[in-house]
Amino acid sequence: MDDNKPSRQRVGDLTSGPIPRTLLLFALPVLGSNVLQSLNGSINAVWVGRFLGEAALTATSNANLVLFLILGTVFGIGMAATILVAQSVGARDLPEAKRIVGTSATFFFLISVVFAVCGWIWVDAILTGLGTPADALPLARSYLRIIFVAVPMMNLLSFVMTVLRGAGDSRTPFVFMALAVVLDVVLNPLLIRGIGPFPELGIAGSATSTLIGQTVSVTAILIVLYARKNPLRLAGADLALFRPDPALLRIIVFKGIPMGLQMIVISAAALTVMGIVNSYGSQVAAAYGIAAQLWTYIQMPALAIGAAVSSMAAQNVGAGRWDRIGKVAASGVGFNLVLTGALVALLFVFDRSVLSLFLSGDSTAIDIAAHINKVASWSFILFGITIVLFATVRATGAVMPPLIILIVSVLFIRTGFAYSMRGVLGQEALWWSFPAGSIASLVLAIAYYRFGRWRTMHRIEDRPAAGEPPDTGLGVPRQRAHIATETSN
């Protein structure tokens, strides 16, 4: 079978056709995957809250923040690989794309295993450092230890899906995300309560259902990709590409670390806010945890559009179609304003009805969560625009400026506002810190998009000559043509 035959093998071309329509059609399955993933977390939170109470819900909220931090540490490697694959596909350089997949997959999985082992060993120190309430600590420990076991499979599934999106295929990831979510949602109550032949595991059952769903799904997607002879699969002589190429690995790591640090910055800010929230007790912590669950839905369109913009812009960079990059970004911003704005409006109208799914109707936490949403939810419209602009510039290899902007706006301004204004505003400082950070990040992102030198950059897989330092991603162009892969023949 010809590996370059595009029909069933889904190497998608994002470098031609009408930009808004192409972007929207590519983003919809990504949005669907995000919806399913968020529904998974929300439904599991419903099971935990209904069956096990507020302390258990607080435990999962704290544990999920830790999980997000772990995923963020390897997120950058996956994003760097995805952008490299997208640029190679745009340049019609399939052998290069395969070599990127092999090197990054091996490194990505090994790093995930290291984090899983370290997390298992130091779970108590992590939760204690987070300030997890005493009544939730044993539950969080039981939940998080099993989640750490699931981390390698979760990361591997995420890696495969993002690489496929870089190659222009957003439908296959959607199908297998659906499989993982269905398994998790169905098994969750069965394993929590011990229904039928299943053991009663309590909160550990919720984590175990996640482990099973992720493992089955990543196994299934790999089987299908090899059965379909997907062009990016590594088989036969290509199996040697799983041995990391040191030069390529340096590029992936050098570009991936700043993108991973962006997730860590967001996670660190969230952990800091969660630590303050925990000081107000389990009720406020539960309210904030549920509000944060709803915020994941608000952010889904922007995240999906950002992922689509990143893949589409990277393919056009690889193809040398710089005339399309600005139009891709503009379309992404327009879609974000419409979709995110609509979700924020719906949340303002139906927030109490949705919150009552998680907690009993007479719970004071519902009033607290409703107030948090009114103060903070609108700011995610602004942050969504920032996500799209970041996705555009990162597709060219400009990875340091978005990191610096996030450090300033999220870590310094958001958390600084939360801390410094507590004496004046009390709890309100926590909720208003989100608009403060979003406004700052948007202003800085627009300034860099307009005046930064990211448009002068070349493809990020360009390799430095002997003795030449790697590109910093700050917009300094490298005046050298792309070096073809040594394994092309």
Side-chain angles (χ1 to χ4, degrees), residues 87-88 91 93 96 317-318 396 457-462 482:
Q87 290 186 350
S88 298
D93 191 348
E96 175 79 352
V317 169
T396 70
M457 299 184 69
H458 293 265
R459 288 176 58 189
I460 65 176
E461 67 265 48
D462 287 355
H482 168 61

Side-chain angles (χ1 to χ4, degrees), residues 51-233:
F51 290 159
L52 302 174
E54 288 184 0
L57 193 58
T58 300
T60 58
S61 297
N62 280 260
N64 286 335
L65 281 174
V66 176
L67 176 62
F68 185 74
L69 179 61
I70 293 170
L71 296 177
T73 59
V74 294
F75 166 82
I77 304 300
M79 279 301 301
T82 299
I83 292 171
L84 284 164
V85 167
Q87 290 186 350
S88 298
V89 169
R92 307 295 190 267
D93 191 348
L94 190 59
E96 175 79 352
K98 285 186 175 183
R99 197 159 59 86
I100 294 163
V101 169
T103 290
S104 52
T106 299
F107 182 73
F108 195 82
F109 185 73
L110 291 178
I111 288 294
S112 299
V113 171
V114 169
F115 276 108
V117 171
C118 292
W120 172 275
I121 294 172
W122 292 315
V123 62
D124 287 333
I126 293 170
L127 292 172
T128 301
L130 183 59
T132 304
D135 57 344
L137 186 59
L139 296 168
R141 180 190 302 115
S142 298
Y143 180 85
L144 194 53
R145 275 191 166 149
I146 297 175
I147 289 295
F148 278 127
V149 175
V151 161
M153 292 297 104
M154 296 172 72
N155 280 338
L156 183 58
L157 179 61
S158 175
F159 173 78
V160 173
M161 292 194 300
T162 55
V163 165
L164 287 174
R165 289 170 186 153
D169 176 11
S170 60
R171 295 180 183 177
T172 301
F174 170 74
V175 171
F176 289 93
M177 176 56 70
L179 173 62
V181 168
V182 168
L183 288 173
D184 196 352
V185 168
V186 170
L187 291 174
N188 220 281
L190 302 179
L191 291 171
I192 290 175
R193 296 297 293 267
I195 299 173
F198 296 93
E200 183 177 353
L201 300 178
I203 196 170
S206 180
T208 301
S209 67
T210 299
L211 170 62
I212 294 171
Q214 296 288 313
T215 302
V216 171
S217 187
V218 73
T219 302
I221 194 172
L222 290 174
I223 290 173
V224 168
L225 291 178
Y226 274 83
R228 289 180 177 176
K229 300 185 184 295
N230 184 278
L232 294 181
R233 80 196 189 286

Side-chain angles (χ1 to χ4, degrees), residues 13-14 19 27 36 77-78 95 105 143 199 225 254 262 292 375 436 447 480:
D13 180 17
L14 304 177
I19 289 173
L36 289 173
I77 304 300
Y143 180 85
L225 291 178
F254 188 83
Q262 291 174 39
V375 171
R480 187 173 70 255

